[in-house]
Structure formats: C-alpha cells, structure tokens
Amino acid sequence: MSGDRTPSDRADVCVVGAGPAGALVAHQLGKRGYDVVVLEAGERFDPADREERMERSIRPGHGPLDVWEMGGDRDAYSSSGGIEYPLNSARVKGVGGSTLHWQGMVMRLHEIDFELASRTGVGDDWPIAYDDLRPYYAAAESELGVAGAADNPFAPPREEPFPMPAFRPSYSDSLFAEACDDLGIAMHSVPNARNSEPYDDRGECVGFGTCKPVCPSGAKYSADVHVRKAENEGVRVVDRAPVQRLVHDAAGDSVESAVYATPDGREHTQEARAFVLAAGGVEIPRLLLLSASERYPDGLANSSGLVGRCFMDHLFAGMGGTLDEPTRQNHVGFITSESHQFYDEADEDVGPFKLEFLNYAGPSPVEMALSGDEWGDDLLDTLRDGYGGHVAMGALAGQRPRERNRVTLDPSVTDDHGNPVPEIQWSLDDRTRNTLRRANEIQRDVLTELGVDIEWSVGPENTGPAFHHMGTTRMGTDPAESVVNPELRTHDLGNLWVPSSSVFVTSGAMNPTLTIAALALKAADHVDEAL
C-alpha cells in the first residue's frame, strides 16, 4: 500500500466510498480499462488484525465502537425528531465499509417492493421493475458469493442456482419447525454472503460465531475483496481521504472535481470525467448538501429539494425467553432460517415484514465467562445453570417514505474538518407500528406453541433501527420528484451517478446489501455507456 495521497491526473472515474457499491463499481470499470480513483474517508484495515478485533469485540472492557475505530469528531452527528437515532452504533468508515461488520444476509427485494403504490396504495412505485434488476441480482450473488437454496416459496422468481449450497438449519431451527408446522407457518433457508464451501479463493465458514462485528476467517464477504480485485486491474484506492465537497463546472451541468482532505491537514482536488457517489445513505446526501454553490444554493443535485429527505430504515421486532431444554444458541453466529410467508400480504395498514429464527439468543459461554469474576468450579456451575435454554425470534419491518424523515446538516456541530455534521430527523408512522405489532403477534404464537417462557419483547414502543439507510437520493423519472433517474444518474448533473440504498423508493423489509450490489453493477454499465 502506498502512502501517497496526492491526486492522480484527471481520471476517467472518481468513486467516493470503498464499501460494497464503490468497490464493485471500481472493479467493473477497472477491468474494462478505465482509469479509476477511489477516495475513502476511513483507513485500510489489515486482514491479519481481524483475530485481535474479534477478541476485542467479546471482551467487556471494549465498547462496540472500538472494534472498527469509530467515534470522535470525525464521526460526530446529531439526532432529532420522534426517536433518537444512534448512527454510530452500526457503521464503519474504512476500506470495505459496512460489510466489515455486517450480518451477511442477502435477499432480493420482492416484486411487490417495486410496485407498492400500485398494489397497496402506499408510498410510490419504483421507476424500474424487479425484472430490470433480475440479471444484476444474479451477477451480484456470484460476485459476493452467496450460499442459498431454492426452498423459499415466497421468494421472487429466479432461474439461476445459488453459487453455493445453503447452510444447514441450526438445532434451534428444528425446535421452531415443529411449532411452525402446527401453526401453518412455513420456514425456509436464508441466503448468506458467507462461504458454505470454498469459493473465490476464500475458505468455508469455520464457525467463530462473531460474524457481527467481525469475521476473522474471511469466509463472510466484505468489500475489501473487490477493492483488492480492483487494484489488480489498476484502480487506485486512496484511504483516509474524506471528500469535503464536489465542485461543478461554470454551467452547473457536470461535476469537475472532488476536494478531499488528507491526514497532514491539506486539501487536494481530484478531477475526473465521471463521478460515482457510494458513501451510503447518510454521507451521500451530506456531501451533496455540503457542496452547495451559487448555482445550487440548496445543495448539489437538489433542484427537487429531496436530497436527504425520505430517509427510511428497517425496524426490529423481537421476542424471546427460555425453554426447559437445551437450545444450543450461539453455536451459529448468523441466521439460518426465516419465514417470508407474510411479506406479500402488505396492504395500506400493515407493511411487509419477514420473520427471523435467531441463533444467538442469550449470552454465549464466552460472554458469561468474561463478564463475571468467577473462576474454576464456580464458573463451571454458572455456565451449566445459565447457558443453553434461551430462544428468540426477530423480524424486520419496512418503513414508508416520508419527507419529514431526513438527513440534513447541523451547523452547530462540526467534524474534524470544520464541516457541519449530519443530523438525522427520524420518527415512526402508524403503519410501521402496526407492522411491528403484527410481527409480535406471530412471534408470540410461535413461542407459546413451543412452550417458551417469554421474558422480553421489542415492538412498536421500544423498537430500534437495523441501520439500513435508505431513500435519501430517491430514484424517479420526474426531476421534480426525485434525485436520480432509472440509470442512477442525477437529474441535475450529467456525469454524477449514485449506486446506493439512498436511491431506494421504498424500503421493503429485506436486508438491502444485495440490492445495493445489483444497483452498483447496473450503474457500472451506465457509466461505461456514457464514457
């Protein structure tokens, strides 16, 4: 790795962000022969350090921000609105982005998600259909390496087999299966971006169980995989180079350069023919707002006034307790079974949601041992008495797009470069609360049928986000009602593309990374066509 952070000569493409979207775009364009520069705000983490980061993640002396070096003035933010939004609880700035610590679940959005207004009268339709993304979904599954099976009768149509076989159901999945059979609830496997067998020069999952926040073995996909592939194609990746603003030409028709800072306190200007914003659903609108000019006083690409607006996330509903028999929780660090049975039943009162059968309820033996001060036989007795009977279910619920939910700038708080920090203005609507309530009802039915002593629940009154940032540069055909067009190019500037969950028109209730990857591959084709 070179420490040179000076700008390259005018590049073909400048990509902002080295997470999954930026890495895939850079790799695709690099292998097609384009001169590509990637500017990443965070550092480049050494894969050799991941075992130490795993240890750090499970020791009680470290907080969740310590694992991936988050916090401080660089990552400052504000939150207002109906609910406090804990932005830093689940984000990483670095080469690899959020995939350094993600859960690794990769589902396609359903057909209904693209046609929600037509089918339910809620929200808006996307300007593209499921079939438009279908080939990109297949390509994304191949690029990331997805283990899955064609056993989900509620999934959208597909023709291609998954690149790898699905992971086997966990032991606790088998307990849930009997209760679900009695209630007429179908269970099925979960597509995971982790290797169930060797794939793409990476080994199969070895079961560390610490998938979130760190996979030491490399079996779970992270975007630094494609960063390395991009660099092998000649792409230049500059870390610790946060972009401060974008500068447009005199006419305001295109972006000329990205101004970025370096650790020595200097600013540099990177020129390019095309620009791709891939820094996530919070930092992308923030950068556009920070790039306000005389031509665009309300922020770049913001003639619609919608940059930062319609912020959406997925909300969690959950319930759990104890069972008077071993459940073998925490033997698997990820979800192996779900139910999407109720997803397409969405209407104007209840949105889409999916049920999750968790494999990590209650404390693990390691957590129990490290959090106490017992040793020897006393510790062994505690582990025998306190571990093994926990069981829980989760769910993700979609949120409708509302302009009042937004990412804006807070000029009263500045980051380490003196820029206003992002402010998250966030609240819930009644439809989302109804959806969480409905998920809780089904969870209670299943756990009661299983004989669980229910001890806790998370629902409409105490829910929290899944940290899936969506909707802040929404896609559409009308420049007055959207920020980017169906080709992911901004309406206002002809050489600026945004392949991100920020372009989502509706949230759905599926983890968004596979759709982000599909959009990145789609954007790469459009940038290629334009150049």
Side-chain angles (χ1 to χ4, degrees):
M1 177 184 70
S2 171
D4 179 17
R5 294 185 175 85
T6 58
S8 300
D9 293 335
R10 186 170 186 260
D12 292 321
V13 184
C14 176
V15 178
V16 179
L24 285 166
V25 169
H27 175 239
Q28 288 294 313
L29 296 176
K31 72 180 184 180
R32 298 179 201 185
Y34 292 106
D35 179 14
V36 182
V37 176
V38 180
L39 301 176
E40 166 57 46
E43 66 182 281
R44 186 186 299 247
F45 297 103
D46 188 343
D49 294 338
R50 290 192 180 185
E51 286 192 20
E52 188 274 332
R53 295 186 187 280
M54 176 185 70
E55 181 178 346
R56 191 186 306 177
S57 74
I58 60 178
R59 287 192 177 276
H62 294 279
L65 303 184
D66 294 343
V67 178
W68 294 106
E69 321 293 348
M70 286 294 296
D73 290 343
R74 183 196 69 174
D75 305 319
Y77 68 95
S78 297
S79 177
S80 61
I83 300 177
E84 177 73 17
Y85 195 91
L87 179 62
N88 280 346
S89 295
R91 66 171 177 166
V92 175
K93 289 184 180 178
V95 175
S98 61
T99 54
L100 293 170
H101 76 150
W102 68 320
Q103 183 66 268
M105 299 162 64
V106 279
M107 307 86 170
R108 302 181 181 192
L109 288 175
H110 283 208
E111 291 165 299
I112 189 176
D113 293 319
F114 297 91
E115 306 164 359
L116 196 63
S118 297
R119 296 198 189 192
T120 71
V122 176
D124 297 294
D125 289 347
W126 290 47
I128 60 175
Y130 170 76
D131 281 345
D132 294 317
L133 273 191
R134 191 165 168 175
Y136 292 110
Y137 271 135
E141 288 166 347
S142 178
E143 291 288 348
L144 272 58
V146 176
D151 64 335
N152 180 357
F154 314 106
R158 60 178 299 125
E159 297 173 352
E160 311 81 2
F162 286 96
M164 290 174 283
F167 285 88
R168 295 176 58 187
S170 69
Y171 177 78
S172 60
D173 287 346
S174 68
L175 301 178
F176 279 117
E178 185 173 347
C180 286
D181 283 345
D182 292 340
L183 294 171
I185 297 174
M187 294 175 63
H188 48 76
S189 64
V190 180
N192 273 277
R194 52 176 51 81
N195 292 355
S196 60
E197 61 187 23
Y199 185 86
D200 197 24
D201 296 324
R202 294 179 287 124
E204 65 183 289
C205 175
V206 295
F208 278 105
T210 60
C211 311
K212 185 176 181 179
V214 57
C215 170
S217 73
K220 184 183 70 174
Y221 174 81
S222 57
D224 53 329
V225 167
H226 276 92
V227 167
R228 291 191 291 272
K229 290 183 178 184
E231 289 178 317
N232 289 337
E233 299 291 347
V235 171
R236 183 178 179 221
V237 179
V238 185
D239 72 334
R240 293 193 290 169
V243 176
Q244 308 297 292
R245 59 192 176 277
L246 301 175
V247 179
H248 60 73
D249 62 6
D253 296 330
S254 60
V255 176
E256 285 189 331
S257 62
V259 177
Y260 65 96
T262 49
D264 60 8
R266 301 176 60 190
E267 285 191 352
H268 302 274
T269 298
Q270 177 61 59
E271 297 180 347
R273 297 166 57 200
F275 290 81
V276 176
L277 301 187
V282 171
E283 293 296 338
I284 289 173
R286 181 194 180 207
L287 176 58
L288 292 173
L289 295 174
L290 287 172
S291 302
S293 66
E294 184 175 346
R295 173 71 174 81
Y296 296 106
D298 297 322
L300 205 61
N302 196 25
S303 62
S304 65
L306 288 169
V307 166
R309 293 190 181 272
C310 299
F311 175 76
M312 298 176 287
D313 205 324
H314 293 136
L315 285 305
F316 179 77
M319 193 172 294
T322 54
L323 193 62
D324 193 21
E325 64 176 286
T327 58
R328 302 183 189 175
Q329 290 290 277
N330 293 289
H331 286 219
V332 181
F334 53 93
I335 296 171
T336 45
S337 292
E338 290 190 341
S339 178
H340 300 172
Q341 182 170 336
F342 307 96
Y343 195 94
D344 288 351
E345 295 179 5
D347 56 28
E348 62 180 10
D349 296 318
V350 176
F353 67 94
K354 66 184 180 79
L355 296 172
E356 303 168 333
F357 301 92
L358 304 184
N359 287 321
Y360 35 81
S364 71
V366 172
E367 291 169 329
M368 294 175 67
L370 290 176
S371 62
D373 56 5
E374 295 179 312
W375 302 92
D377 290 342
D378 290 340
L379 174 59
L380 185 59
D381 289 341
T382 297
L383 293 176
R384 285 172 174 165
D385 294 339
Y387 169 70
H390 293 276
V391 66
M393 291 180 66
L396 285 189
Q399 184 177 24
R400 56 181 292 212
R402 296 190 299 164
E403 290 190 20
R404 63 184 293 183
N405 288 337
R406 63 186 298 197
V407 176
T408 187
L409 301 178
D410 182 356
S412 70
V413 182
T414 55
D415 66 10
D416 55 343
H417 294 282
N419 295 314
V421 303
E423 179 182 353
I424 314 297
Q425 299 177 4
W426 193 54
S427 60
L428 298 189
D429 59 278
D430 289 340
R431 184 170 182 261
T432 300
R433 291 189 180 92
N434 291 341
T435 308
L436 297 170
R437 193 172 292 112
R438 174 62 175 145
N440 280 160
E441 290 172 355
I442 300 171
Q443 290 166 342
R444 186 174 296 278
D445 288 344
V446 173
L447 294 175
T448 300
E449 182 70 24
L450 190 55
V452 174
D453 181 11
I454 298 174
E455 299 172 339
W456 61 268
S457 66
V458 175
E461 305 310 318
N462 61 341
T463 186
F467 304 101
H468 301 156
H469 308 141
M470 300 169 283
T472 50
T473 60
R474 66 194 332 240
M475 184 196 306
T477 56
D478 184 351
E481 301 292 336
S482 56
V483 178
V484 305
N485 67 18
E487 295 182 348
L488 305 169
R489 184 168 59 183
T490 61
H491 293 297
D492 296 349
L493 297 116
N495 69 337
L496 180 63
W497 283 263
V498 185
S500 169
S501 56
S502 65
V503 309
F504 284 22
V505 179
T506 53
S507 68
M510 297 297 176
N511 304 58
T513 304
L514 187 71
T515 302
I516 295 171
L519 290 171
L521 297 175
K522 184 176 189 295
D525 281 351
H526 296 312
V527 174
D528 183 19
E529 292 165 0
L531 293 177

